[in-house]
Amino acid sequence: MAERDYEIFEAGDVTLQSGAVFPGLKLAYKTFGRLNPAKDNVILYPTSFSAQHYDTEWLIQPGGVLDPERYFIVIPNLFGNGLSSSPSNSAVPFPQLSYHDAVAIQHRLLTERFGISKLALVYGWSMGGMQAYHWAACHPDMVERAAVVCGSARCAPNNHVFLEGVKAALTADSNFRNGRFVEKPVVGFRAMGRAYAGWAMSHAFYRDEVWREAGFTSLEDYLVRAWDATFARRDANDLLAQIGIWQNGDISCCAAFSGDFDRALAAVTADMLLMPGATDRYFDVRDNEDELGRLVNAKSAALRPIPSVHGHRAGNPVNNPRDHAFLKAEIAELLSK
């Protein structure tokens, strides 16, 4: 077995937002760079749906979007991703967790283990972006800047419906019984990938056959190699747990804001950068436009849609130099404030 390249924060028995107690809750995390003596060079970089830090750390490189030579970068793995507490590694029935639960434990990690009281930036894509928004609203005294990339302050109705389709495709597999998967759902994973492909990429991406730029020879070749097995690397019960977190995401659904969305957004005081994908089908630009006008106490608030045909994936441009350059320039400007 390969040596583990990440650390575990043992949170102990934690009372969740739902009131349930999770015994022995664990948060897996990885750090890059060095914490300076003032402890003010910290970037928090939460993970996205189904992702582990291995999938997102490509963005961290000297001179890159997130530079470990200048910043101390912490990637906390979201619950349900198979490294932090998840259905696949928990001995107890897995309860419903929320972004608020995740942020609370991430806050404990930073303050208890590292003595950090300021975050130069919280950067996140997709579910990571939703966590960044939660951080900005719930810990305004701590967050100096937040970059929400293809994310939102709450799960919009069309986003919820998209996820209902994903769940339906996955759970139609015969290995889903009595509310959980008893075996790996090979058919369900393929169906989930096909459903996801239609939402994740844009109309123009398919119309103009942009998939050919990545070496695919036909639309079917693209779907088979890029999507049919993309989620099969994860535990299916873990994926359902994260979908639950995603669908219930709302920065205002906590004791501090009592469901008052305007009050939650007004609590944000950071420099805010909202970067939706211009062609994202489920984190729609219009949701960020609506939020922008409610960030009345933010030090600054900018909306910078990523001008890309890559839909939601514009926010994670692993092999997409143009979108990568856009992200890099916008984050450099944000960090200069």
Side-chain angles (χ1 to χ4, degrees):
M1 181 180 292
E3 183 178 353
R4 192 179 75 192
D5 72 339
Y6 59 91
E7 304 296 326
I8 296 290
F9 177 69
E10 305 273 359
D13 296 348
V14 174
T15 300
L16 303 174
Q17 190 179 32
S18 65
V21 175
F22 196 116
L25 191 63
K26 295 178 175 62
L27 176 65
Y29 69 95
K30 186 173 180 179
T31 65
F32 304 79
R34 293 185 177 182
L35 185 62
N36 66 14
K39 299 185 177 183
D40 62 358
N41 69 327
V42 183
I43 293 177
L44 188 69
Y45 180 22
T47 57
S48 52
F49 177 65
S50 81
Q52 298 177 349
H53 64 268
Y54 308 106
D55 305 302
T56 61
E57 63 187 15
W58 70 272
L59 204 65
I60 302 170
Q61 50 189 293
V65 176
L66 305 179
D67 189 344
E69 294 184 343
R70 296 182 58 198
Y71 295 97
F72 179 64
I73 304 163
V74 183
I75 301 183
N77 285 272
L78 182 60
F79 298 121
N81 81 338
L83 297 182
S84 291
S85 288
S86 306
S88 63
N89 61 25
S90 297
V92 297
F94 202 78
Q96 177 65 57
L97 278 81
S98 69
Y99 285 124
H100 289 284
D101 293 322
V103 168
I105 303 305
Q106 292 169 18
H107 182 269
R108 283 186 55 192
L109 165 70
L110 296 177
T111 57
E112 295 176 17
R113 181 151 294 183
F114 297 106
I116 292 167
S117 60
K118 287 291 182 183
L119 293 170
L121 172 67
V122 186
Y123 177 101
W125 169 62
S126 194
M127 286 186 80
M130 296 181 83
Q131 290 170 80
Y133 235 138
H134 279 67
W135 262 99
C138 297
H139 297 286
D141 57 329
M142 195 169 177
V143 178
E144 296 183 335
R145 304 170 188 84
V148 178
V149 183
C150 299
S152 60
R154 61 184 173 187
C155 184
N158 74 302
N159 200 337
H160 183 95
V161 170
F162 150 63
L163 292 167
E164 283 298 296
V166 169
K167 282 196 303 185
L170 183 59
T171 58
D173 192 286
S174 60
N175 286 307
F176 184 72
R177 303 170 199 163
N178 300 317
R180 66 183 306 276
F181 290 96
V182 295
E183 297 287 345
K184 186 173 182 175
V186 176
V187 173
F189 278 137
R190 182 179 183 275
M192 177 182 176
R194 295 273 169 146
Y196 220 102
W199 284 81
M201 314 308 288
S202 73
H203 172 271
F205 177 86
Y206 289 113
R207 180 197 62 207
D208 298 337
E209 299 185 347
V210 178
W211 39 264
R212 290 191 184 277
E213 296 176 3
F216 298 101
T217 58
S218 67
L219 180 58
E220 181 65 12
D221 180 43
Y222 168 70
L223 292 174
V224 169
R225 291 199 283 139
W227 289 102
D228 279 3
T230 192
F231 297 106
R233 62 194 178 131
R234 299 291 180 243
D235 179 272
N237 292 307
D238 289 356
L239 294 176
L240 289 182
Q242 287 207 327
I243 289 173
I245 295 173
W246 184 347
Q247 286 187 307
N248 291 300
D250 185 334
I251 62 171
S252 69
C253 285
C254 62
F257 304 121
S258 301
D260 189 331
F261 193 60
D262 284 339
R263 185 153 64 95
L265 286 170
V268 174
T269 58
D271 287 299
M272 295 294 295
L273 175 60
L274 308 181
M275 279 196 292
T279 56
D280 195 329
R281 290 175 179 261
Y282 45 91
F283 283 103
D284 193 281
V285 174
R286 287 167 289 190
D287 292 320
N288 283 164
E289 289 174 342
D290 176 68
E291 293 158 2
L292 191 70
R294 303 171 192 243
L295 291 169
V296 294
N297 292 313
K299 187 176 179 182
S300 67
L303 179 68
R304 299 281 190 270
I306 306 168
S308 171
V309 299
H310 286 264
H312 186 62
R313 287 289 180 88
N316 187 41
V318 180
N319 298 307
N320 182 345
R322 181 176 177 179
D323 294 349
H324 189 180
F326 183 88
L327 286 179
K328 183 178 178 180
E330 292 294 336
I331 296 303
E333 182 179 345
L334 177 63
L335 286 168
S336 70
K337 294 184 178 181

